[in-house]
């Protein structure tokens, strides 16, 4: 049984994962799916077995403000494995590949919104914030981490708001989890003491962080 990890960059390559997306996320409409695959910037890591895509995760880049500095960080989205291929360590392989890839590219950390925190904590993710529901919350106090409201981001949010999709149907009381990819860079940005990654993320969770529910 031959398996290999693929890094899919072009829309034509990424189309190969659409069937798996439909299978695992049937709540999303075809209208949203077409929009997402055509217009949202992303790369997709996929596991191929005998020519078939059996698992995937999407790396969606965001421009973030982090302690006053603008950086790029990847939001991990659409994590999926075919039901009959689960519990074989496939997603762990894809996540570890993603961590190494993003670290080599200079990213400080990656983020995700989990269905359950227990799924991702074994991979070094820790909860750093609750997701805000009101835009006004971003204006209160000093915010050390937030998505920069670029023209492209605002236009995408406006378009997505018009789509009939359940994409924004988040878990109850959704949270943002983070994994540190480059500890020295993280320390240089935050000014935190050199502690364990778990302790560093605990410190960060006490800071002012704002994310809307539609990242």
């Amino acid at each position: 049984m031959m398996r290999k990890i693929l890094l899919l960059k072009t829309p034509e390559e990424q189309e190969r994962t659409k069937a798996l997306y439909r299978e695992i996320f049937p709540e999303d409409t075809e209208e949203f799916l077409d929009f997402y695959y055509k217009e949202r910037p992303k790369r997709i890591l996929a596991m191929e077995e005998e020519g078939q895509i059996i698992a995937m995760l999407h790396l969606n880049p965001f421009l973030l403000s982090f302690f006053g500095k603008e950086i790029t960080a990847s939001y991990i989205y659409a994590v999926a494995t075919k039901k009959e291929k689960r519990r074989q360590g496939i997603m762990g392989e894809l996540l570890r590949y993603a961590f190494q890839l993003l670290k080599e590219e200079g990213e400080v950390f990656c983020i995700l919104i989990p269905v359950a925190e227990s799924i991702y904590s074994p991979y070094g993710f820790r909860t750093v914030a609750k997701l805000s529901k009101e835009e006004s919350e971003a204006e209160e106090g000093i915010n050390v981490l937030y998505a920069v409201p670029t023209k492209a981001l605002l236009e995408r949010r406006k378009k997505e708001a018009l789509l009939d999709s359940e994409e924004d149907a988040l878990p109850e009381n959704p949270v943002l989890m983070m994994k540190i990819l480059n500890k020295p860079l993280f320390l240089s940005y935050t000014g935190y003491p050199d502690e364990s990654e778990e302790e560093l993320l605990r410190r960060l969770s006490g800071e002012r962080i704002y994310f809307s529910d539609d990242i």
Side-chain angles (χ1 to χ4, degrees):
M1 184 167 53
M2 192 68 126
R3 290 176 179 167
K4 62 180 178 180
I5 295 176
L6 307 176
L7 178 58
L8 309 176
K9 300 179 181 179
T10 69
E12 293 74 22
E13 292 172 336
Q14 294 173 359
E15 281 284 323
R16 295 188 59 198
T17 67
K18 248 185 174 181
L20 179 59
Y21 192 110
R22 290 189 185 98
E23 177 184 336
I24 305 302
F25 308 108
E27 66 274 14
D28 284 343
T29 64
E30 283 297 312
E31 183 184 20
F32 168 76
L33 196 56
D34 287 342
F35 172 84
Y36 173 78
Y37 268 80
K38 289 177 182 176
E39 297 199 32
R40 188 156 185 174
K42 65 189 169 301
R43 293 177 294 173
I44 300 177
L45 283 178
M47 183 69 77
E48 182 187 62
E49 179 184 281
E50 306 298 335
Q52 182 185 29
I53 301 298
I54 61 170
M56 67 177 179
L57 62 81
H58 297 207
L59 301 173
N60 296 352
F62 273 84
L63 181 64
L64 304 180
S65 177
F66 186 56
F67 285 82
K69 300 176 179 65
E70 290 193 354
I71 65 171
T72 297
S74 291
Y75 168 55
I76 297 179
Y77 176 72
V79 179
T81 304
K82 291 183 73 66
K83 293 180 181 179
E84 65 272 19
K85 299 294 181 179
R86 293 174 183 173
R87 301 185 183 279
Q88 298 180 27
I90 296 171
M91 192 49 62
E93 286 187 57
L94 287 180
L95 283 168
R96 286 187 287 273
Y97 189 101
F99 300 156
Q100 186 60 36
L101 173 68
L102 297 175
K103 181 179 180 179
E104 290 174 357
E105 293 176 343
E107 294 198 17
V108 185
F109 54 77
C110 55
I111 55 177
L112 55 77
I113 300 170
V115 173
E117 293 165 82
S118 60
I119 295 174
Y120 297 99
S121 56
Y123 299 102
F125 283 94
R126 294 294 181 269
T127 298
V128 295
K130 295 180 180 179
L131 261 67
S132 302
K133 295 291 185 179
E134 301 295 334
E135 289 290 340
S136 60
E137 293 183 22
E139 300 170 1
E140 300 172 5
I142 299 173
N143 197 355
V144 302
L145 174 63
Y146 60 90
V148 177
T150 62
K151 181 179 179 181
L153 177 60
L154 295 176
E155 288 180 350
R156 176 179 63 75
R157 284 179 174 173
K158 187 181 299 184
K159 290 178 181 177
E160 286 184 355
L162 300 175
L163 298 175
D164 179 20
S165 173
E166 296 298 320
E167 189 242 358
D168 288 327
L170 296 172
E172 186 177 357
N173 300 318
V175 298
L176 187 77
M177 299 188 82
M178 177 184 290
K179 177 181 172 61
I180 296 173
L181 300 171
N182 189 318
K183 186 178 174 182
L185 267 182
F186 187 93
L187 293 175
S188 72
Y189 287 144
T190 62
Y192 290 165
D194 189 355
E195 300 172 315
S196 69
E197 293 182 3
E198 184 168 2
E199 183 62 23
L200 290 172
L201 292 176
R202 187 196 66 77
R203 282 181 179 272
L204 182 64
S205 69
E207 302 279 6
R208 180 66 190 165
I209 297 173
Y210 171 77
F211 271 95
S212 68
D213 64 353
D214 59 351
I215 64 169

